[in-house]
Amino acid sequence: MSEPLGLDNGLTNYGDRDFARYLRRSMAHSMGISSELLARPVVGIAASPSDFNNCHRYMPQLVEAVSRGVLAAGGLPRAFPTISLGEVFLNPTSMVYRNLMSMDVEEMVRAQPMDAVVLIGGCDKTVPAQLMGAASAGRPAIQLVTGPMSTGRYRGERLGACTDCRRFWAKYRAGEVDQQEIQVVETRLATTAGTCAVMGTASTMACIAEALGMALPGTAAIPAVDSQRLVAAEETGKAAVRLAHRPIYPAQIITEQSVENAFRVLMALGGSTNAIIHLTAIAGRLGIRIDARRLNEISDETPVLVDLKPVGEGYMEDFHAAGGMGAVLRELRPLLHLDCLTIDGTTLRERLDAPAGWIDRKVIRAFEAPVSPVGGLIALKGSLAPDGAIFKRAAATPALFEKEGRAVVFDGLEDLAQRIDDPTLDVTADDILVLKNAGPLAAGMPEAGYLPIPAKLARAGVKDMVRISDARMSGTAYGTIVLHVSPETAAGGPLAAVRNGDRIRLSVQNKSIDLLVPEDEIARRLSTFEKPAPRSGGYRGLYDRTVMQAPEGCDLDFLAGLRG
Ligand code: FES
């Protein structure tokens, strides 16, 4: 055990260490902090509030509560800002900026004088970015999430972002809800601070942070507006001071075993497809890789236990009240690696040996009576996706699991927007909608994989169709949707070769997705393919030149595998 260095961590280079120490303390005194406090271990608080991030609206209160915990435990709290990523306020998509935020977190955690850091995030890309950055920075780090929104009410019905956003929008497109009503619904979907109220990407990643062991037990699902969220923040601050005295590094927590545990939890939650990309990227920072075969083994062995939207009925506030992650982990216990270390210095086994509290079995099922006997997500492979694709079987229509159909192709997002509702579009409910050029290279991989049902079919009552793309899908969305097709169109994958009228076959049973066009014809069509030129400068130029495909977590190639 080494003594925390506090403000003496990483002195500024002047060629005179004593001068650097003296100058830093002089400037620290100008903050109006006593010498006694300046001598304490320092806990950084990586905060990401922003007026462009509704999900982080309560972050100032969380920072205050963490600071309170740090002070009470004998540390000096120092909050600092990083980039914030508000999911719906970023163009072209927040995914482009996840890696930028991870670099910001990594460098500021490493460069500034702190013995440990509390990472406070919530909205979809922020928690992955913080965990990626912390893994690379290699300082003791603990995650605190903002917590989920509480539900709103509309005509006696509970509403939560954003599964219900999509449900009402589909009704509006189908003519079942008029303009006036959709405007009222718009004001009832997201009524409190916090992250989306269902088991979308933010909630999934919060649970994964806890499953990995990077967040304190029981903290993932506490609603944002619950007083216990502030207590959790205070406890996180105290835990960070313990970390300053007895360091535990991200590489000790994020291991092949804990990553497997997290993938299992993801399956049991019926969680977001995006979590596969994010968890891959977090693990990739430490050189850990879970391949598609292992992912499918884990999925086939792990039942869906949690009955929440978009897969089931409940909301995150119900999940918390039902027993939260502790209850899920206890059900999964026989399948978990129990020796994994958690951030409070105990093992997962020690956590699960403690008695379980009350569990609401309507929301968190027993292992023997699951929502579904197999996991929510699977990897597909085949001639259309040689490097893989992802399918959320828990949120899809079983009648479409084995489906061959005619491709109706859209060349990109612009083409999709222009033609999807064209009354003359040649499309039937039996066709397969294909969207190209929406992968990480072409478009930053937006959440465009939830292609709308063409208006004329929606009005005729069609609720679901097979849809395929190299895009992602919001964790709050649902449908028979094949995502993350790799290599993407812009990388010259077979998706680039698909033409209107080609036959495509999806088989969930065989975990395959195939373009039923002879191999030599696919090769002939791709022979004239040209990769788009990267932008020349700035972060977007760097992104274009270095972003990897979905199976590598869409990280930038020079950031992966370099542990701090
Ligand atoms: Fe932030 Fe949904 S918009 S979690």
Side-chain angles (χ1 to χ4, degrees), residues 53-56 85-88 122-124 149 161-162 194-197 201-203 476:
N53 193 340
N54 58 293
C55 300
H56 292 193
L85 304 176
E87 186 62 24
V88 300
C123 196
D124 286 16
M149 288 180 204
C162 232
T195 49
C196 285
T201 304
S203 300
T476 62

Side-chain angles (χ1 to χ4, degrees), residues 46-50 55-64 120-122 146:
S48 48
S50 162
C55 300
H56 292 193
R57 181 153 67 83
Y58 274 3
M59 195 153 295
Q61 286 92 325
L62 291 174
V63 171
E64 191 186 314
I120 317 183
T146 59

Side-chain angles (χ1 to χ4, degrees), residues 320-406:
H320 174 60
M325 278 294 294
V328 174
L329 289 168
R330 281 183 178 83
E331 291 305 319
L332 293 178
R333 182 176 178 138
L335 299 175
L336 297 174
H337 300 286
L338 297 173
D339 291 329
C340 290
L341 187 63
T342 67
I343 201 66
D344 64 359
T346 59
T347 62
L348 182 58
R349 175 180 287 104
E350 287 171 294
R351 173 180 179 183
L352 300 186
D353 279 347
W358 180 77
I359 297 168
D360 182 348
R361 290 296 180 199
K362 286 200 298 296
V363 179
I364 301 171
R365 305 283 180 80
F367 193 90
E368 306 72 39
V371 175
S372 152
V374 289
L377 309 172
I378 53 169
L380 306 174
K381 275 208 175 181
S383 59
L384 186 57
D387 292 346
I390 294 296
F391 183 75
K392 188 169 183 175
R393 57 182 165 188
T397 305
L400 296 174
F401 278 11
E402 308 299 316
K403 175 80 187 166
E404 187 188 314
R406 184 183 69 136

